[in-house]
Amino acid sequence: MKGEQQKKGNSRTLAMMVACTAIGGTLQYGYNLAIMNAPTVYIQAFVNETFRERWGVELNVYEVTLIWTFIVSIFSLGGLVGALIAGPMSIRFGRKKTMLLSNIFLMSSAILGLTSRAAKSFEMILISRVLVGINAGISMNVQPMYFGESAPKHLRGAVSLSSAIFTAFGVVLGQVVGLREILGSEPCWHYLLASNALPGIFQLLTLPWFPESPRYLLIDRGDKEACFAALRRLRGCEVSPSEIEEMMQEQAESEGMRPRQPWELLRDRNVRWQVISVALISSAMQLCGNDSIYSFAYYVFQEAGIAPEAIQYITIGTGTCEFTACIISNLLIERQGRRVLLMGGYALMAGWAVVFTVALCFEHMVEWMPFLSMTCVFTYILSFGMGPAGVTGVLPTEIFNQTSRPAAYMIAGSLMWLNLFIVGMVFPFIVSGLGNFCFVPFCAVCFCTALYIGFFLPETKGKTLSDIAREFDQLNFGKQHQQNSSIQAQYKLGEVQHATAL
């Protein structure tokens, strides 16, 4: 009975650590995507008013749309910077401390957003979006790494996927807070821009009480006692011998190796297909167009024929769909595996994009077609949440070792944010230019990604890093090299078991 209570208590510790990290972490990504939709009209009017007062210039609709698009999309450039500095910061300061330090950018952003209206400066909003983007970029890279390195193998996927759940929850929260009845009104939009400081404050008050990543402590710092102490807090008084053996094996394989840089991974044939997989799937996560729907929901639903006054309430449904799907995915990931959820998610998205295109083409001929269009947007987001939203962030943790993991996240994060910026900049013009066929490019991305996953990505569920590496070696070198690697791995395993016994 006592052992059961102790196990339950330690499971609670892990769950609390996940919540405290994510509320001030990936929640910010979803939240800051969503809050920019509600004050669209008011900030556009503010920009136009600023130009009129300063230079006596009245901007036309195209110019206002361009500036507004840049305000929304510059968040992605900040995220790109955050992704690039996340790797070095996580190596130098550790995963937990990096998460805490990233709040410096968040608080600076909140202050600029809050005071931009009084200063009559839309440039302060731009800078604010860059800074909060840096915060989100760091969190999107370091948080999955922190979770993946802290969770036991049988919960690794579910714990890592919680990053996506909190991202989706951030979207819903941002959509609710952005309602006209709360902070999405003309007098309150600057408070809405500063409201992201509250989750950051919560993280600063709670996260210091939890341990650092056990793998970071053992492999990067070489502190075995601190590693085992962290494991005991997160697992129980007695740590599983198999988990210790796996960590010691990874430490032995990484011994004498310094943390690698992104360009070193790009040149290394040993991880060629790992890098290709992470790069393609991370890029597809944004090129599929899902996250742009949140920032530009007004344009999407307007094209679908929805009344403007109803759009703000309908957009809450989009975030709720992804949030629900991520929870379901969290329950399925350790049963169905990563590959099935990823491939199935992209295949379903491609199918719904086709239906959405057909619905847009016939919306003026059939009375109920706008409702089918709206349904397609919801199911598109639902399919995204079932796989790509969460599993994408899990992959670098599971297919790269400790010395390569930060660099892999830098590559994945940089591509994710760069593609989000590109799609964010062109999305309104895709909607206006392609009209009924605006989702055709996204359909092509989803279809090609599903094919790649089906043919080339191995399953990682329940496997050790060495097992996964051997499967990738079939792509990197062929079967002969795999046989040689298997012999070497068995020899190393024997050494590790001997060291563990000592």
Side-chain angles (χ1 to χ4, degrees):
M1 182 70 180
K2 183 178 179 182
E4 291 179 0
Q5 290 176 344
Q6 194 172 45
K7 185 177 180 181
K8 182 179 178 181
N10 281 280
S11 298
R12 190 183 301 120
T13 300
L14 178 62
M16 289 172 62
M17 182 272 283
V18 167
C20 294
T21 306
I23 286 175
T26 54
L27 180 142
Q28 293 284 8
Y29 172 69
Y31 188 80
N32 286 285
L33 276 179
I35 62 172
M36 295 306 290
N37 185 60
T40 297
V41 177
Y42 307 126
I43 296 181
Q44 287 178 347
F46 174 69
V47 170
N48 211 349
E49 182 184 341
T50 303
F51 270 83
R52 188 166 53 247
E53 289 184 2
R54 289 184 187 175
W55 301 291
V57 176
E58 188 75 26
L59 298 177
N60 58 42
V61 176
Y62 176 84
E63 291 169 333
V64 171
T65 301
L66 184 61
I67 294 174
W68 166 247
T69 304
F70 192 63
I71 289 174
V72 173
S73 301
I74 203 169
F75 172 70
S76 310
L77 292 185
L80 176 61
V81 174
L84 291 173
I85 66 175
M89 285 182 68
S90 66
I91 294 169
R92 180 171 181 179
F93 301 111
R95 301 356 178 188
K96 184 181 79 170
K97 192 176 291 186
T98 297
M99 293 292 297
L100 293 171
L101 289 173
S102 70
N103 285 290
I104 295 173
F105 301 103
L106 174 66
M107 298 305 168
S108 302
S109 166
I111 293 171
L112 287 172
L114 182 64
T115 56
S116 60
R117 185 170 189 167
K120 297 183 178 180
S121 171
F122 69 89
E123 294 90 348
M124 291 173 67
I125 301 177
L126 282 168
I127 299 172
S128 171
R129 292 287 291 173
V130 172
L131 291 174
V132 77
I134 295 174
N135 168 264
I138 294 172
S139 299
M140 290 291 286
N141 274 24
V142 178
Q143 182 178 304
M145 204 186 317
Y146 184 26
F147 288 175
E149 293 174 1
S150 299
K153 184 170 63 176
H154 68 284
L155 293 176
R156 190 172 57 201
V159 170
S160 297
L161 193 62
S162 63
S163 296
I165 292 177
F166 278 92
T167 298
F169 177 66
V171 170
V172 177
L173 185 63
Q175 290 169 338
V176 172
V177 174
L179 289 173
R180 285 190 293 269
E181 293 82 356
I182 304 180
L183 292 181
S185 60
E186 198 280 332
C188 299
W189 60 261
H190 55 297
Y191 296 113
L192 179 62
L193 297 184
S195 62
N196 52 27
L198 296 178
I201 293 172
F202 177 83
Q203 186 187 75
L204 287 170
L205 293 175
T206 57
L207 186 57
W209 299 99
F210 295 96
E212 177 59 85
S213 156
R215 288 179 183 269
Y216 172 80
L217 292 170
L218 177 66
I219 300 172
D220 288 274
R221 292 301 184 198
D223 193 339
K224 187 182 296 186
E225 291 185 5
C227 167
F228 290 170
L231 284 172
R232 282 192 293 270
R233 286 192 62 191
L234 296 170
R235 309 281 191 276
C237 290
E238 294 298 330
V239 185
S240 167
S242 62
E243 184 172 13
I244 295 176
E245 184 177 296
E246 181 189 349
M247 293 177 64
M248 295 293 290
Q249 180 180 352
E250 188 174 349
Q251 183 192 35
E253 291 173 352
S254 304
E255 190 173 0
M257 298 175 61
R258 59 175 178 79
R260 307 182 71 184
Q261 299 299 326
W263 52 87
E264 293 176 325
L265 290 188
L266 295 174
R267 294 197 302 259
D268 189 354
R269 188 181 176 185
N270 292 287
V271 293
R272 176 181 298 170
W273 279 94
Q274 287 94 317
V275 172
I276 291 173
S277 297
V278 165
L280 287 177
I281 295 173
S282 297
S283 297
M285 185 179 177
Q286 300 303 339
L287 294 177
C288 71
N290 182 81
D291 286 347
S292 297
I293 292 175
Y294 295 126
S295 298
F296 300 101
Y298 183 85
Y299 294 97
V300 174
F301 289 121
Q302 187 180 46
E303 191 67 27
I306 306 302
E309 60 272 12
I311 288 178
Q312 69 160 344
Y313 303 103
I314 294 174
T315 53
I316 296 177
T318 62
T320 305
C321 275
E322 184 172 340
F323 181 53
T324 304
C326 286
I327 294 176
I328 296 172
S329 180
N330 189 276
L331 299 174
L332 294 176
I333 189 169
E334 296 300 345
R335 296 181 182 180
Q336 301 299 324
R338 287 62 159 153
R339 188 166 170 268
V340 171
L341 293 179
L342 268 177
M343 184 170 58
Y346 279 116
L348 286 172
M349 289 168 72
W352 287 117
V354 172
V355 177
F356 185 48
T357 302
V358 173
L360 289 176
C361 290
F362 289 95
E363 68 176 354
H364 298 297
M365 303 178 189
V366 182
E367 185 178 352
W368 49 267
M369 275 299 172
F371 298 99
L372 178 60
S373 300
M374 186 171 64
T375 302
C376 288
V377 171
F378 288 144
T379 51
Y380 193 85
I381 292 172
L382 192 66
S383 303
F384 178 79
M386 286 293 291
V391 182
T392 304
V394 177
L395 286 179
T397 298
E398 297 193 329
I399 65 178
F400 288 95
N401 63 23
Q402 190 79 6
T403 58
S404 301
R405 201 169 289 136
Y409 270 104
M410 287 174 67
I411 294 172
S414 299
L415 288 171
M416 187 192 79
W417 287 103
L418 183 62
N419 286 305
L420 179 61
F421 174 75
I422 293 171
V423 174
M425 284 296 296
V426 303
F427 190 79
F429 303 102
I430 289 177
V431 173
S432 60
L434 295 181
N436 296 338
F437 302 96
C438 59
F439 263 67
V440 170
F442 305 132
C443 176
V445 169
C446 293
F447 180 74
C448 293
T449 305
L451 286 179
Y452 176 84
I453 294 167
F455 283 109
F456 298 106
L457 186 69
E459 180 55 69
T460 60
K461 181 189 73 170
K463 297 177 181 177
T464 65
L465 186 63
S466 298
D467 294 334
I468 297 167
R470 281 194 291 272
E471 291 196 44
F472 270 108
D473 281 346
Q474 296 183 46
L475 296 171
N476 291 324
F477 299 103
K479 294 184 178 180
Q480 182 61 42
H481 180 84
Q482 185 196 11
Q483 293 173 356
N484 296 335
S485 297
S486 179
I487 296 172
Q488 293 176 3
Q490 290 175 6
Y491 176 74
K492 284 187 177 181
L493 180 59
E495 290 183 329
V496 171
Q497 290 173 337
H498 177 69
T500 304
L502 294 175

